[in-house]
Amino acid sequence: MMNEHGAMNLDGLSAEELADKMMADVDIDGDGMIDMNEFTEMMRKTSSSEGKQGETSFNHRMSQLAKTVLVAHQKKIETSVIGQDMWLIHPLRNTHATWDIIISILILLTVVTMPLSLGWEELNEFFFGMNLAVDFIFLLDVCKNFCTGYVDEND
């Protein structure tokens, strides 16, 4: 498959022409996309013609193309968000995780300061402004959670 200069032997075709030929052979309905039925049909043809000499190399390239297409499709699914919206927050973003860490730290701060505020009146006056600000941030966190998407494991 490789020649001495490292270039691939494409049977006299350019890489684009070979990819177009492979895609045309697999894409039965001509929509420019390989769906599951077309993929299974291609794999069935590949496995049934394994014994033929001339088609073995072509079928190997077809299965390589199919693997590449499936990997690209999987990456597209992983990175796509249904319903792109400026208010939608992706659950796997670093900013989402950072916000959750900040909220966790504020919860720990509240766990420490709340009993102190209840026990000593002078500390209650000291922590009043901070507790009010933390409560407002918790309200923002509730609003953020309503706008955060989720990853459907069954999809």
Side-chain angles (χ1 to χ4, degrees), residues 91 95-105 141 144-145:
T95 53
H96 176 70
T98 304
W99 176 264
D100 285 345
I101 290 171
I102 291 170
I103 293 298
S104 299
I105 291 170
D141 183 53
K144 179 206 67 96
N145 286 330

Side-chain angles (χ1 to χ4, degrees), residues 64-82:
Q64 288 299 100
L65 174 68
K67 288 177 189 174
T68 305
V69 168
L70 286 177
V71 168
H73 181 67
Q74 183 64 31
K75 283 185 180 180
K76 179 182 174 188
I77 288 174
E78 289 173 357
T79 58
S80 70
V81 175
I82 298 174

Side-chain angles (χ1 to χ4, degrees), residues 28-44:
I28 297 169
D29 58 8
D31 63 352
M33 297 172 47
I34 300 174
D35 58 17
M36 191 54 74
N37 293 333
E38 292 168 338
F39 176 73
T40 54
E41 183 64 29
M42 189 261 321
M43 293 307 287
R44 189 173 311 134

Side-chain angles (χ1 to χ4, degrees), residues 11-76:
D11 299 329
L13 299 172
S14 70
E16 293 83 14
E17 291 170 339
L18 182 62
D20 289 340
K21 181 179 186 284
M22 289 178 165
M23 189 67 161
D25 288 340
V26 175
D27 187 20
I28 297 169
D29 58 8
D31 63 352
M33 297 172 47
I34 300 174
D35 58 17
M36 191 54 74
N37 293 333
E38 292 168 338
F39 176 73
T40 54
E41 183 64 29
M42 189 261 321
M43 293 307 287
R44 189 173 311 134
K45 286 180 184 177
T46 301
S47 63
S48 67
S49 63
E50 290 273 329
K52 299 178 183 176
Q53 285 289 349
E55 293 184 17
T56 305
S57 173
F58 180 73
N59 287 333
H60 175 69
R61 289 186 298 209
M62 289 298 286
S63 41
Q64 288 299 100
L65 174 68
K67 288 177 189 174
T68 305
V69 168
L70 286 177
V71 168
H73 181 67
Q74 183 64 31
K75 283 185 180 180
K76 179 182 174 188

Side-chain angles (χ1 to χ4, degrees), residues 87-143:
W87 296 102
L88 186 63
I89 300 170
H90 197 287
L92 301 178
R93 279 204 177 139
N94 288 335
T95 53
H96 176 70
T98 304
W99 176 264
D100 285 345
I101 290 171
I102 291 170
I103 293 298
S104 299
I105 291 170
L106 290 177
I107 289 172
L108 290 174
L109 180 70
T110 303
V111 165
V112 170
T113 60
M114 190 59 65
L116 294 174
S117 299
L118 294 173
W120 290 275
E121 187 66 33
E122 58 275 357
L123 288 178
N124 187 21
E125 295 169 5
F126 178 73
F127 288 132
F128 178 76
M130 184 193 67
N131 284 336
L132 191 61
V134 169
D135 288 343
F136 181 73
I137 293 172
F138 287 158
L139 178 66
L140 291 177
D141 183 53
V142 169
C143 295

